[in-house]
Amino acid sequence: MKLKNKLIAGLVAGAATFFIGLNQQVSAATVNNDYALSVSEGSSLRTSNNVIIAHATAVYAPAKNVAIYENRTWYSNSAYVQYVVGDGGKIYRVGAEGYQAWGAGSWANANAPVQIELAQTYNQAEFRKDYVTYVNLLRSSAIKYGIPTTVDDSSWRGVKSHLWVTNHVWGDHTDPYGYLASHGVTKAQFAHDVQYGLGSSGNYVSPTPKPGPKPVRPSNKKHVDVTYAMHQRNGHWLSSVKNAGSGTNGFAGMPYSAHDMLYIKVNHGSLMYRVHTIEDGWLPFVHKANKNDTVNGVAGIKGHTIDGVQMYYTTPKGETYQQAYYHSQSTQRSGYLGTCADNGTVAGFDSWAGMIGEPLDRLQISVNDHSIF
């Protein structure tokens, strides 16, 4: 899994009961809330209810440890999901259902009310208990939110593996299939089990479904203009720039100068952004763009030096997936730093632009389905 995006919501303290059995085979699984994010943590963004994402952790570690780690590092690593399953069929909650988690990139996070990690074990008996709980939690979550229980089919709704997201939206992750295969579970069996459910014994409860056709990514790309400007520290707003080009008109900022505020707007879709300052660290995300509103309309604090920028673009439903590509330069080194992709597709530079401790003096942004840099 590769996690990205955030969440906030009320969480039930202590243990809750979650019914994961289906058809005539009904069993209650206890949800452990000891490592759930608090009401002041995570993203406040609601999801659309289109997909449930199936992950595997890619590390052989107890599910409890994974939940503890995600709880502790959700902000610094921009990584967490709603549930972690393991330790012999236990369920640990981290994020809140219905709010965006940071599990599989912007599109998946915005469309998945629930994302579930399967912890990895070498023990076959433990795996079997984990697998039954995992399958039925995926299935019952889909039913709860009116999402089809089909797995990785041709539609853009249903239960989707991280591999499906990689193949049809973005990324390079292939979970959970490699881990499932190590315990003898094929893709076809996994799809069957999620669609029809498992009893506590792990026996099938319905006939094998027919496999669906390979998904086809829709082609409905819209042109997006992104306009942005930077404010010189203790100075004035510099000229706005639209998209990115060459020469002095191709970037926001002033070479060899420090800046303290930034605004960014798009003419289609939506974009949220924030800055890191030498004095304050990361500041809250901003969803508006208004130079005259220095509280809610711009990112930054007057007089405080920006040394990092982070942003996420959300593509309107039904359109070809696009994202923000951006890169920056600092006053202390020549040349642009690595290009960032807001969904993490650029290896090594997928989190934010800038260099901590070095004033950011130039910024270029493009919203597209590929990088122009």
Side-chain angles (χ1 to χ4, degrees):
M1 118 184 155
K2 182 151 184 171
L3 305 169
K4 191 167 274 205
N5 256 18
K6 306 170 63 177
L7 110 55
I8 186 173
L11 293 171
V12 179
T17 299
F18 202 118
F19 287 93
I20 62 170
L22 298 154
N23 299 318
Q24 283 76 38
Q25 306 281 348
V26 178
S27 60
T30 298
V31 177
N32 184 312
N33 289 303
D34 291 346
Y35 316 108
L37 297 179
S38 72
V39 295
S40 62
E41 297 174 315
S43 170
S44 60
L45 298 176
R46 283 281 191 178
T47 64
S48 297
N49 300 333
N50 290 314
V51 294
I52 304 296
I53 304 295
H55 297 277
T57 59
V59 294
Y60 284 85
K64 177 180 177 180
N65 291 9
V66 175
I68 292 172
Y69 180 77
E70 290 189 8
N71 174 276
R72 186 177 72 249
T73 65
W74 70 272
Y75 184 80
S76 60
N77 285 344
S78 299
Y80 67 92
V81 296
Q82 279 84 8
Y83 296 109
V84 182
V85 172
D87 301 345
K90 295 180 180 179
I91 302 172
Y92 299 90
R93 187 197 308 269
V94 179
E97 290 189 18
Y99 290 81
Q100 292 189 20
W102 288 5
S106 301
W107 181 87
N109 298 337
N111 285 278
V114 176
Q115 298 191 48
I116 303 170
E117 285 280 2
L118 177 60
Q120 299 188 183
T121 177
Y122 293 108
N123 185 294
Q124 183 67 21
E126 182 176 318
F127 165 79
R128 195 61 197 171
K129 294 177 181 178
D130 295 344
Y131 180 71
V132 171
T133 299
Y134 178 63
V135 162
N136 286 337
L137 183 56
L138 288 166
R139 174 175 165 77
S140 61
S141 296
I143 293 171
K144 177 179 179 180
Y145 287 96
I147 296 171
T149 59
T150 50
V151 177
D152 290 357
D153 68 3
S154 60
S155 74
W156 286 69
R157 301 191 74 238
V159 177
K160 305 298 182 185
S161 67
H162 204 158
L163 175 62
W164 188 95
V165 176
T166 292
N167 288 339
H168 305 288
V169 184
W170 77 276
D172 59 2
H173 288 67
T174 60
D175 55 298
Y177 291 120
Y179 173 60
L180 295 180
S182 73
H183 286 281
V185 177
T186 65
K187 291 181 182 180
Q189 181 180 337
F190 177 62
H192 170 276
D193 294 345
V194 172
Q195 183 165 14
Y196 295 104
L198 292 174
S200 59
S201 65
N203 295 327
Y204 295 137
V205 294
S206 290
T208 302
K210 295 180 180 179
K214 185 176 180 179
V216 177
R217 184 174 179 175
S219 179
N220 184 25
K221 182 182 177 182
K222 305 295 184 182
H223 178 75
V224 180
D225 287 322
V226 53
T227 303
Y228 50 108
M230 300 196 75
H231 185 276
Q232 280 189 297
R233 187 179 63 190
N234 297 321
H236 63 281
W237 281 104
L238 300 169
S239 299
S240 298
V241 176
K242 181 182 288 187
N243 303 321
S246 60
T248 58
N249 293 323
F251 61 83
M254 179 67 70
Y256 315 112
S257 296
H259 302 85
D260 53 15
M261 289 185 287
L262 166 71
Y263 92 93
I264 311 172
K265 65 179 179 180
V266 291
N267 69 336
H268 187 73
S270 63
L271 186 143
M272 66 177 184
Y273 59 102
R274 64 176 178 171
V275 299
H276 185 282
T277 69
I278 293 175
E279 296 83 358
D280 311 291
W282 286 110
L283 298 174
F285 277 100
V286 176
H287 299 266
K288 301 178 181 179
N290 183 353
K291 293 179 182 178
N292 298 318
D293 182 358
T294 58
V295 177
N296 299 307
V298 302
I301 298 174
K302 192 170 184 179
H304 292 200
T305 305
I306 295 173
D307 58 359
V309 176
Q310 187 176 43
M311 65 191 76
Y312 295 98
Y313 175 76
T314 300
T315 305
K317 183 177 180 180
E319 296 181 10
T320 299
Y321 179 74
Q322 299 189 81
Q323 61 179 311
Y325 291 92
Y326 55 108
H327 62 183
S328 67
Q329 190 165 327
S330 84
T331 60
Q332 298 182 26
R333 61 188 72 211
S334 62
Y336 280 96
L337 299 168
T339 299
C340 302
D342 69 24
N343 70 0
T345 56
V346 179
F349 295 96
D350 61 359
S351 182
W352 52 274
M355 187 67 65
I356 297 298
E358 299 181 10
L360 187 150
D361 70 345
R362 275 162 276 195
L363 178 68
Q364 287 189 310
I365 309 170
S366 170
V367 175
N368 212 319
D369 62 354
H370 65 281
S371 175
I372 66 170
F373 303 121

